[in-house]
Amino acid sequence: MSKNSSHPLEEPGMSSRFMEPCILVIFGATGDLTARKLVPAIYNLAREGQLPPQFACVGFARRDKTHEQFREEMKEAINSFSRVKPIDENLWSTFKEQLYYHKSEFHEDEGYDRLSTFLTDLDKKLGTKGNRVFYLSTQPSYFTTICEKLHKAKLIYEYENSPSWSRIIIEKPFGHNTESAHQLQSELLKYMDESQIYRIDHYLGKETVQNILVFRFANSLFESLWNNRYIDHVQITVAEDIGIGTRGAFWEEAGFLRDILQNHMMQVLSLVTMEPPVSLEARAIHDEKVKVLEAIRPFSREDLDHAVVRGQYDKGIVNGSKVIGYREEKNVNPQSAVETYVALKLYIDNWRWAGVPFYLRGGKRLPKKGTEISIFFKDPPCVLFQHPGMKNEPNVLTIRIQPDEGTSLKINCKVPGSSNFIQPVKMNFRYGKYFGMAPPEAYERLIQDCIYGDNTLFARQDEVFSSWNLLSPVLDHWANNPPKDFPNYPCGSWGPKSADDLIMNDGRKWRLL
Amino acid sequence: MSAAHIVAPSKIQSELNDLWSSMENKNKMRASLFNLIFYTKKSPRDEYIRRITQKIIEKFPARIFFISTDTSSTEDSVKTAVSIMSAEQGEFDVTCDFIEISATSASEYQVPFIIMPHIVPDLPIFLLWGEDPAKQSPLREQLEKVATRLIFDSETAEDIIVFAKSILAIKEKSKCEIADLNWARLESWRDLLTAIFNDTNNFNRLKKVHKLKIIYNAQETPFFCHTRIQSIYLQSWLASRLGWTLLGSSLEGDSVCFTYNNATKNKVDVTIESQRHSNLPPGLIVSLDLADGENETFHFERNIEALNEINCSYSSSVTTTIPTKLLIAKGESGQSLVKEICHKGTSNHYLEIVKLLSKMESSGIC
């Protein structure tokens, strides 16, 4: 079928989507992401009957390995990291026959030629019809090389006039600043069409992130309050209790802003603040996201000093255990100036959000893991129930993205009895309790969407550029002004004091997770 | 209360989840209106703080963090345990999470890191500090940063005047609400006197008072040894409300005397005297006498057989009223105590008495 027309057996407007046969090739198949996320996700899709009947997955990496060895390693990975354990042996006996391994260097032409032959053979054997998804789970520096080689080996088809399709999934980060993102984009466009590029941000595959749009636009109750008349400010937090683990070398290159803020947090921000799209078509949603990202006020020179805070963790205590500081981590420069924490305040200069501050913060080695959006509503106009010396708490709507996915609303309530004491209480909706099932992993949804050819939950080029346009000046400023106080927060705390000052200077405080 | 399950700090949440799973279909309702952090040093008083905990959750269920520090140990170790605390009332048993943290002086610094991940978001955080706030404590400073309300117990004060100065200093730098258990215990007396002197005639009589005598129960217990504080608070409250100016204070045996100038520059003598009743709560105010220079006297006396009854009488050179029986709230255990601790904002009246006390010379009055 052509890419845009629906299948004759598909009823328009109904939920079923047609999945075409295909082969998924994972570049960097011996890496952590493949074992922890990608293969368990594919296994779970198979377990739930969500893969095309004619399907294969080929791991592409530099190490010597047989198909059988790769399968055994992946079985172990599924047993360790799948959301459903232990592995279903019956299913595995079928599933493993769909797993293959291809050894090659990323820059080696001959390896791609062999890959092409191998995939053609699999097409004949499995009926996968030449359709391809190439998942680039490698270091960003290999992205263009792999695409160039795939193109040269004729594995990337022309978008318009080919009987089969090929798509590329690219892991973040897409560039490391505005300039490099543009450069990467122009390189990729030499070999493929923009519509073949799927920039993955696994946050967008999370149920709770997808639910933001449903929550906002399927409930008149909240959307009518979703503006500067009723909202005092918004906080977005991405907290991790873990450190950088074995990824010292990567972090020394990336840092928190590039790894988390520029992509995950900006995507979440855009979903929280965008205008309603005219339809649920991918283009309509992307257009609205870009509009709002472009409406973010650029940081002034003064803002760079006062509205953006960076931090780096020092030794401390997390979950009752003593843990080392960032500079003591493996493969980290003992004098490193890389940030493991960022907090910032920004404004969106449009009709809806004028004057509403957005506080974003996130970091490694914080007291607990948690990603959430908190909408703080303005105080009611009267002070009927203000007890002397006591201020009522604002209403807060919190959307918990992970863990304990759900939504809560803090409201004020009268304490039972004859006096008018008021106390905040919480209404809590929990996905797990209500729907009684574990939501699918983000990667399951995203891989499936790519096979469908639906890029709604992937980042479009202009979204990435807008985000870099905002944040590249921050990185430049930091590069020119090395931090003087690093490390500046102990593991297990909520970040540096300067982050508290950032919000407290406005008479507000960070919400405790 | 269920048996405590000793767990590693990293397993607190999962152990609580398991405990709750095991409670399904047992008519237990898990509830939490706020986070309540107790801190005390390991001592017999520890038991008293636990009793307060029980009283509070009977009225208002909360997620409880109970921190006790063993100052005699030099080890750098922390033990954590979880259990479920029950209000033990009604058909549906309202129950709360109880997280116990036993630290040593050397390991106290770890405590905030252990508590922080388990705070229930959005709900207020009350810190009941069961030690003298005059003593520096890095742990308290850390916990104060996240607390919405600080509850102190002046019973822990080694010197009430130093305590008062500390409260003012804390109020100055913290945005938290501040409560004091002894001030809360006085609520019933404050309400009673407000009601009696509500009309203009009686209030004018009160303004002319020259002598004030309070008798309190000086019987100590392992939990209470500063039994005079409630009486000192009560006279300070009257003094501050009536605009009296402190001239001096002195200790005479078991009694304490204060001298003030009232608003019209006339001298007021205040005497706080002790009695010992082993069957009454320590520090309980037994009677209160207010007299002016013209033989007008108000006499309030607690019925020691029924502690929430106060007999009130008035006499002058020309008239004597029949004693009236007034009922007051059971300040020790009632809802009013809990509300005073948990829900009222920082009382300006309380701050004024604290200011008054802070101006006194430290003379061992308590």
Side-chain angles (χ1 to χ4, degrees):
Chain A
M1 293 299 300
S2 69
K3 285 110 244 166
N4 294 321
S5 62
S6 63
H7 190 270
L9 300 179
E10 190 182 358
E11 187 181 347
M14 302 305 283
S15 59
S16 63
R17 293 189 291 179
F18 180 70
M19 263 188 156
E20 295 183 83
C22 71
I23 298 174
L24 169 67
V25 182
I26 301 174
F27 287 84
T30 51
D32 235 23
L33 186 71
T34 305
R36 286 175 173 270
K37 296 290 181 188
L38 302 183
V39 171
I42 297 162
Y43 165 79
N44 280 311
L45 286 171
R47 198 178 56 80
E48 294 188 359
Q50 298 290 318
L51 285 177
Q54 301 97 335
F55 174 82
C57 172
V58 178
F60 184 118
R62 291 173 292 192
R63 287 184 208 158
D64 244 339
K65 215 179 285 273
T66 64
H67 296 314
E68 212 42 54
Q69 282 171 324
F70 182 62
R71 287 168 185 163
E72 278 311 304
E73 285 173 14
M74 292 305 107
K75 185 179 183 185
E76 205 174 303
I78 292 167
N79 263 327
S80 303
F81 303 115
S82 167
R83 68 185 163 91
V84 182
K85 289 178 274 197
I87 203 163
D88 177 338
E89 291 292 345
N90 282 337
L91 173 64
W92 173 251
S93 62
T94 317
F95 181 73
K96 73 173 184 182
E97 298 300 327
Q98 295 175 296
L99 286 181
Y100 299 90
Y101 185 77
H102 180 82
K103 188 237 169 209
S104 175
E105 294 293 331
F106 295 137
H107 61 272
E108 198 178 66
D109 286 344
E110 188 263 335
Y112 290 82
D113 293 337
R114 281 191 291 108
L115 176 70
S116 178
T117 309
F118 181 58
L119 295 181
T120 307
D121 290 346
L122 282 181
D123 282 337
K124 286 177 193 157
K125 183 178 161 189
L126 302 172
T128 38
K129 297 187 177 176
N131 295 325
R132 313 278 184 250
V133 174
F134 298 107
Y135 197 121
L136 274 50
S137 172
T138 64
Q139 282 180 32
S141 53
Y142 289 117
F143 289 169
T144 45
T145 307
I146 293 170
C147 291
E148 183 206 336
K149 301 294 177 191
L150 285 171
H151 182 258
K152 198 170 173 188
K154 299 195 174 9
L155 284 163
I156 298 177
Y157 315 136
E158 270 186 44
Y159 176 61
E160 291 292 344
N161 304 310
S162 170
S164 304
W165 49 259
S166 54
R167 295 165 190 147
I168 309 267
I169 300 178
I170 294 188
E171 267 292 337
K172 68 176 177 65
F174 194 87
H176 53 269
N177 56 21
T178 306
E179 195 185 344
S180 61
H182 278 282
Q183 197 179 337
L184 175 58
Q185 176 69 8
S186 63
E187 286 290 323
L188 294 180
L189 290 181
K190 288 180 190 168
Y191 313 117
M192 64 194 82
D193 187 79
E194 163 65 17
S195 59
Q196 292 172 285
I197 305 171
Y198 289 69
R199 293 172 199 83
I200 198 164
D201 183 329
H202 73 267
Y203 260 52
L204 293 176
K206 289 179 184 292
E207 283 291 332
T208 32
V209 173
Q210 293 166 47
N211 191 45
I212 294 171
L213 292 189
V214 178
F215 187 83
R216 287 188 57 195
F217 301 127
N219 294 294
S220 56
L221 176 64
F222 297 109
E223 187 52 25
S224 55
L225 305 177
W226 216 259
N227 55 55
N228 58 5
R229 281 185 68 193
Y230 298 102
I231 292 178
D232 177 73
H233 74 283
V234 177
Q235 295 183 16
I236 298 176
T237 302
V238 175
E240 294 189 356
D241 54 355
I242 55 170
I244 56 157
T246 55
R247 300 171 72 213
F250 168 78
W251 266 80
E252 281 292 277
E253 292 290 318
F256 192 88
L257 188 145
R258 288 189 175 98
D259 192 42
I260 310 280
L261 195 135
Q262 180 272 332
N263 35 69
H264 300 330
M265 296 181 80
M266 296 305 285
Q267 283 291 334
V268 169
L269 175 71
S270 65
L271 289 169
V272 170
T273 55
M274 64 188 262
E275 293 299 319
V278 291
S279 73
L280 289 177
E281 292 288 315
R283 187 189 50 77
I285 293 174
H286 288 305
D287 285 350
E288 294 304 335
K289 284 164 72 179
V290 169
K291 271 192 220 166
V292 80
L293 287 170
E294 288 184 346
I296 298 173
R297 188 188 302 168
F299 294 113
S300 66
R301 176 70 182 75
E302 195 182 330
D303 288 339
L304 292 172
D305 285 327
H306 299 110
V308 186
V309 166
R310 57 185 152 163
Q312 186 189 75
Y313 63 78
D314 196 359
K315 63 182 184 298
I317 295 165
V318 176
N319 281 324
S321 301
K322 291 177 186 171
V323 290
I324 57 174
Y326 176 75
R327 289 178 177 185
E328 285 88 59
E329 301 274 15
K330 199 175 164 193
N331 296 326
V332 167
N333 177 357
Q335 304 299 320
S336 177
V338 167
E339 82 287 354
T340 58
Y341 178 99
V342 180
L344 57 84
K345 177 172 76 167
L346 52 83
Y347 287 93
I348 297 174
D349 288 333
N350 65 12
W351 186 269
R352 186 191 285 263
W353 295 114
V356 177
F358 288 79
Y359 299 94
L360 279 62
R361 67 167 167 168
K364 290 274 183 186
R365 284 286 189 220
L366 301 184
K368 70 200 279 193
K369 177 184 169 75
T371 299
E372 62 171 44
I373 305 147
S374 292
I375 315 289
F376 286 70
F377 290 90
K378 288 183 176 170
D379 291 334
C382 63
V383 286
L384 281 179
F385 299 109
Q386 299 280 17
H387 195 270
M390 202 171 180
K391 192 177 177 300
N392 290 338
E393 293 281 312
N395 295 135
V396 182
L397 174 72
T398 299
I399 300 169
R400 294 188 305 276
I401 290 169
Q402 64 174 13
D404 190 21
E405 294 83 352
T407 311
S408 67
L409 180 63
K410 182 163 87 166
I411 54 175
N412 289 308
C413 186
K414 181 180 176 297
V415 177
S418 57
S419 43
N420 269 332
F421 293 127
I422 291 174
Q423 197 201 294
V425 295
K426 190 157 103 167
M427 295 166 72
N428 202 2
F429 157 69
R430 303 169 80 185
Y431 258 94
K433 283 273 179 193
Y434 202 89
F435 290 106
M437 59 180 186
E441 282 277 342
Y443 283 95
E444 293 174 35
R445 171 68 194 264
L446 294 171
I447 290 169
Q448 198 183 21
D449 276 8
C450 181
I451 297 173
Y452 279 127
D454 179 351
N455 65 6
T456 311
L457 299 179
F458 293 82
R460 202 169 67 181
Q461 52 167 333
D462 42 1
E463 290 170 43
V464 177
F465 295 156
S466 300
S467 174
W468 277 127
N469 287 344
L470 176 77
L471 296 170
S472 286
V474 177
L475 291 166
D476 293 342
H477 179 72
W478 286 353
N480 295 330
N481 298 278
K484 296 185 178 108
D485 60 347
F486 273 15
N488 58 357
Y489 70 97
C491 292
S493 73
W494 278 111
K497 185 181 172 298
S498 46
D500 289 337
D501 294 342
L502 168 76
I503 193 164
M504 286 170 85
N505 289 342
D506 295 342
R508 302 181 176 100
K509 60 182 179 183
W510 294 110
R511 179 178 181 274
L512 264 187
L513 268 68
Chain B
M1 190 158 154
S2 71
H5 294 228
I6 295 171
V7 290
S10 58
K11 301 284 181 210
I12 288 173
Q13 192 56 54
S14 56
E15 187 65 24
L16 279 172
N17 292 345
D18 289 348
L19 269 175
W20 283 107
S21 300
S22 70
M23 296 278 175
E24 271 180 23
N25 306 321
K26 288 188 179 170
N27 266 2
K28 302 272 182 196
M29 192 194 293
R30 188 183 195 180
S32 180
L33 287 171
F34 43 79
N35 299 278
L36 189 54
I37 304 171
F38 284 91
Y39 174 83
T40 181
K41 286 188 179 146
K42 240 183 176 52
S43 71
R45 202 173 148 71
D46 182 323
E47 184 52 37
Y48 167 71
I49 300 281
R50 282 174 198 269
R51 278 191 223 163
I52 293 184
T53 314
Q54 183 67 38
K55 279 176 194 164
I56 290 176
I57 69 146
E58 280 169 15
K59 308 294 176 192
F60 300 107
R63 173 171 273 202
I64 292 158
F65 300 86
F66 194 94
I67 310 162
S68 61
T69 298
D70 182 356
T71 48
S72 64
S73 170
T74 52
E75 281 178 38
D76 180 2
S77 71
V78 179
K79 284 184 190 136
T80 46
V82 296
S83 53
I84 288 174
M85 197 169 193
S86 167
E88 290 165 1
Q89 283 181 337
E91 192 181 338
F92 280 99
D93 197 1
V94 176
T95 41
C96 320
D97 299 343
F98 190 86
I99 299 167
E100 198 164 354
I101 301 162
S102 307
T104 61
S105 302
S107 66
E108 262 191 4
Y109 72 97
Q110 297 184 34
V111 173
F113 296 104
I114 293 170
I115 289 178
M116 214 58 81
H118 302 292
I119 296 280
V120 184
D122 285 332
L123 300 185
I125 302 167
F126 299 164
L127 171 63
L128 197 158
W129 191 256
E131 293 300 321
D132 190 347
K135 290 179 184 162
Q136 289 294 311
S137 165
L139 173 60
R140 197 190 74 228
E141 282 172 22
Q142 289 297 314
L143 295 176
E144 266 178 31
K145 286 181 191 167
V146 295
T148 44
R149 174 179 290 263
L150 305 174
I151 304 162
F152 294 105
D153 184 1
S154 42
E155 166 56 27
T156 60
E158 285 184 8
D159 182 323
I160 192 66
I161 293 161
V162 181
F163 173 88
K165 286 177 181 166
S166 309
I167 294 290
L168 289 176
I170 290 166
K171 181 65 195 161
E172 183 70 27
K173 72 171 186 182
S174 168
K175 288 182 177 168
C176 296
E177 307 290 347
I178 291 180
D180 180 332
L181 290 179
N182 268 325
W183 173 252
R185 289 184 188 107
L186 272 186
E187 192 199 15
S188 51
W189 274 104
R190 288 185 275 125
D191 285 350
L192 182 139
L193 294 176
T194 305
I196 295 288
F197 296 106
N198 195 28
D199 70 83
T200 314
N201 279 347
N202 275 353
F203 188 65
N204 286 337
R205 286 172 181 145
L206 181 64
K207 285 199 286 190
K208 290 192 286 181
V209 159
H210 280 191
K211 281 190 194 311
L212 189 157
K213 185 167 91 173
I214 299 171
I215 296 177
Y216 70 99
N217 180 26
Q219 184 69 46
E220 294 177 2
T221 70
F223 308 147
F224 276 95
C225 49
H226 301 104
T227 50
R228 211 178 284 143
I229 293 177
Q230 286 181 48
S231 304
I232 292 175
Y233 275 8
L234 184 61
Q235 66 84 30
S236 302
W237 175 63
L238 284 169
S240 64
R241 300 320 306 151
L242 296 168
W244 297 350
T245 312
L246 182 73
L247 299 176
S249 61
S250 61
L251 193 62
E252 291 169 16
D254 241 3
S255 301
V256 185
C257 301
F258 295 92
T259 315
Y260 295 92
N261 260 349
N262 68 12
T264 53
K265 306 281 183 202
N266 290 314
K267 199 173 148 203
V268 183
D269 291 317
V270 176
T271 315
I272 296 175
E273 290 179 5
S274 65
Q275 285 180 357
R276 287 182 194 273
H277 301 268
S278 57
N279 56 336
L280 297 186
L284 191 80
I285 293 173
V286 178
S287 70
L288 169 69
D289 287 289
L290 299 155
D292 72 4
E294 295 158 9
N295 289 330
E296 282 194 300
T297 307
F298 284 93
H299 177 69
F300 301 88
E301 181 149 8
R302 194 186 290 266
N303 179 353
I304 57 174
E305 302 298 323
L307 295 182
N308 61 331
E309 279 180 27
I310 305 283
N311 292 316
C312 167
S313 60
Y314 165 77
S315 65
S316 68
S317 52
V318 291
T319 181
T320 300
T321 63
I322 298 168
T324 317
K325 189 193 290 181
L326 301 167
L327 291 178
I328 60 168
K330 290 181 180 173
E332 263 293 288
S333 60
Q335 185 145 328
S336 61
L337 174 83
V338 178
K339 275 191 180 162
E340 179 81 33
I341 298 170
C342 300
H343 292 109
K344 280 194 178 171
T346 310
S347 161
N348 281 331
H349 286 200
Y350 173 67
L351 288 180
E352 282 180 29
I353 69 157
V354 168
K355 274 181 204 157
L356 181 71
L357 287 169
S358 70
K359 286 175 193 156
M360 292 181 184
E361 292 296 319
S362 198
S363 57
I365 56 169
C366 196

